Amino acid sequence: MLFSSVEFLFRFLPIFMILYLLVRAKYRNIILVAGSLIFYGVGEPYYVLLLIFSILVNYALCRYRFWEPKGPRTKRKRQADRRRKRALAIALLFDLGILFTFKYWDFAAGTINRLAGREYAPLLSLALPLGISFYMFQMISCQIDCYRGTIKQPPGPIEFAAYVSMFPQLVAGPIVRYGEIKEQMRERRVQAGDLENGLKLFTAGLGLKVLLANQIGTLWDTMMTAGAGNLSPAAAWLGAAAYSFQIYFDFWGYSVMAMGLGRMIGFRLPRNFENPYASKSISDFWRRWHMTLGSWFKEYVYIPLGGNRKGRVRTLCNLLAVWTLTGLWHGAAWNFVLWGVSFFLLLAIEKLGLGRRLERTKILGHVYTLVLIPVTWVIFAVTDWEQLGAYLGNMLGIHSGGAMVGTAQVMRYLREYGILLAACVLFATPYPVRWYHKWKDRWFGLLILLLIFWLSVRELIAGSSNPFLYFRF
């Protein structure tokens, strides 16, 4: 079920909120779990069983880790240490094994078969469960935090299930650590102000998704329909800009809606974006884009590998590992690996000296970032190697042949999408967020939010394209 759907807006959400608010506070986690499983089960009627099974296994391992043995103190400590290590090892094998089976098995098997020239490994052809990377990463973080001792007491069964399955962030994040919302899981209040502010945030996110991401996405689709090899440099850059805006407003819009829904049920979910297209370097961009994923990899991969504490060469090796995994996290295809490695190379160059120069000249840094980011998004979006090579070649002015989508067509697209592109540029700056906080409680701001909601619903009823790009990750 999509947040930006008539079914969610006018059926699921009103019924859920009425039940959630009517029950006593101590029963709200039960309603949250039940509602979240229904929300997920509507889109994944079979894989909801996988979600439930994963929750049960991970909860059992959490409880096992905290079970106190009997006997002398020294012996108890040794047994507890062994139990902690055993529970973590089993949890990681289970969670990563499930993730590998559903997301990466066919990629690995296909690669092996192509290299060997024959079929050594069978393809499973399993559909990818929605949000599996997100909820598996949440469970892994909880297991590691329990092992480290940062979580002192095990969550209750309903609390743990609510933490993993909470529908506002179940299928596309943000990735939340249990310690960040532990207290809210056990005790929270929902006041009128929370409902009001949550609805305002949700409406703002809905507008970003439906009125910006969905609409500008049609320009990218038009370019890809024309064929990557048939684009002039101007057309190729225009398409890359369109996709850059689409993926940003798609994912940012979802994250804002998730924060709004979280506020409505008493949670403060973390921000996932902070004006990434206003960055002055690639390093700065990744401090602002999908911040909870970056924080997860830093906490559970980069720092355990040694971070930047063991010399320049080791730091670069650690960065390469993190960015290869980041690429693979987004998708089981070689273009995602290339996308991750390309960011590693850019970040390495900045760490080796370019970053200091960019800090001295902010304008140059902004231009540098705004030129490179669309190139990386093309690598991210185009999975076919031949098409990817053709598209990047046309961006560089190397025409690969075929009927060109040239100047006349680009001018037509600019006339057709000019206002929308200008709106995307404006909303990629920090100003709309400032205006939102300034006007959201005034009559004028409320009128704008009502208009955004009405226009968004009208688009949804009209049946316009409404994909969530990050659902496939």
Side-chain angles (χ1 to χ4, degrees), residues 115-132:
L115 292 175
R118 56 179 296 184
E119 187 175 337
Y120 278 103
L123 300 181
L124 300 179
S125 300
L126 296 171
L128 181 66
L130 289 177
I132 187 170

Side-chain angles (χ1 to χ4, degrees), residues 204-224:
L206 183 67
L208 293 171
K209 163 61 182 166
V210 176
L211 303 181
L212 292 182
N214 289 359
Q215 306 308 314
I216 201 64
T218 60
L219 178 55
W220 167 252
D221 293 339
T222 299
M223 295 300 183
M224 293 308 295

Side-chain angles (χ1 to χ4, degrees), residues 378-391:
V378 169
I379 298 172
F380 183 91
V382 183
T383 57
D384 181 86
W385 283 104
E386 184 177 351
Q387 291 290 308
L388 176 57
Y391 202 109

Side-chain angles (χ1 to χ4, degrees), residues 134-392:
F134 288 94
Y135 68 73
M136 282 299 179
F137 266 36
Q138 289 206 169
M139 287 191 285
I140 290 171
S141 71
C142 187
Q143 296 289 350
I144 295 175
D145 288 346
C146 287
Y147 171 77
R148 291 175 172 175
T150 53
I151 296 177
K152 304 296 184 183
Q153 295 180 337
I158 300 300
E159 290 173 8
F160 185 79
Y163 159 68
V164 175
S165 67
M166 190 193 316
F167 74 88
Q169 46 79 234
L170 173 59
V171 293
I175 301 172
V176 183
R177 300 178 207 172
Y178 181 75
E180 294 175 319
I181 59 172
K182 176 178 63 177
E183 299 303 324
Q184 299 170 55
M185 273 293 170
R186 295 174 178 173
E187 184 178 354
R188 58 188 180 274
R189 298 176 63 187
V190 181
Q191 300 177 335
D194 295 317
L195 290 171
E196 179 184 347
N197 288 321
L199 280 170
K200 290 174 183 175
L201 268 177
F202 180 86
T203 301
L206 183 67
L208 293 171
K209 163 61 182 166
V210 176
L211 303 181
L212 292 182
N214 289 359
Q215 306 308 314
I216 201 64
T218 60
L219 178 55
W220 167 252
D221 293 339
T222 299
M223 295 300 183
M224 293 308 295
T225 301
N230 297 326
L231 305 176
S232 67
W237 278 100
L238 183 60
Y243 185 77
S244 300
F245 287 131
Q246 182 191 10
I247 195 168
Y248 174 46
F249 292 118
D250 180 276
F251 197 18
W252 184 31
Y254 183 96
S255 298
V256 173
M257 283 190 278
M259 290 174 64
L261 291 170
R263 182 71 63 88
M264 290 168 64
I265 60 177
F267 289 94
R268 300 294 190 270
L269 299 182
R271 287 188 305 166
N272 229 2
F273 293 88
E274 189 177 351
N275 307 119
Y277 289 162
S279 304
K280 56 182 181 295
S281 67
I282 300 300
S283 300
D284 190 28
F285 174 82
W286 272 104
R287 283 191 289 267
R288 298 162 175 257
W289 178 281
H290 204 344
M291 293 188 292
T292 57
L293 179 66
S295 175
W296 195 97
F297 274 112
K298 179 180 179 181
E299 180 68 26
Y300 301 109
V301 179
Y302 183 66
I303 292 176
L305 287 175
N308 60 358
R309 304 186 304 274
K310 298 186 178 182
R312 179 174 291 180
V313 173
R314 181 66 178 272
T315 297
L316 293 177
C317 290
N318 294 341
L319 280 174
L320 177 59
V322 166
W323 281 100
T324 301
L325 291 173
T326 301
L328 284 170
W329 182 90
H330 283 86
W334 284 108
N335 70 298
F336 292 110
V337 177
L338 177 61
W339 175 78
V341 171
S342 69
F343 269 110
F344 158 72
L345 292 173
L346 293 171
L347 292 167
I349 292 170
E350 290 183 8
K351 281 188 174 292
L352 294 174
L354 179 60
R356 290 190 295 272
R357 296 186 180 183
L358 293 174
E359 289 177 359
R360 299 192 202 108
T361 56
K362 291 185 178 180
I363 294 177
L364 178 61
H366 289 307
V367 173
Y368 155 87
T369 304
L370 292 175
V371 168
L372 287 177
I373 289 301
V375 176
T376 64
W377 283 134
V378 169
I379 298 172
F380 183 91
V382 183
T383 57
D384 181 86
W385 283 104
E386 184 177 351
Q387 291 290 308
L388 176 57
Y391 202 109
L392 293 176

Side-chain angles (χ1 to χ4, degrees), residues 16 20 27-37 161-163 165-168 185 188 265 267:
F16 172 83
Y20 186 83
Y27 299 124
R28 283 178 179 166
N29 279 342
I30 297 175
I31 300 297
L32 178 57
V33 172
S36 298
L37 293 177
Y163 159 68
S165 67
M166 190 193 316
F167 74 88
M185 273 293 170
R188 58 188 180 274
I265 60 177
F267 289 94

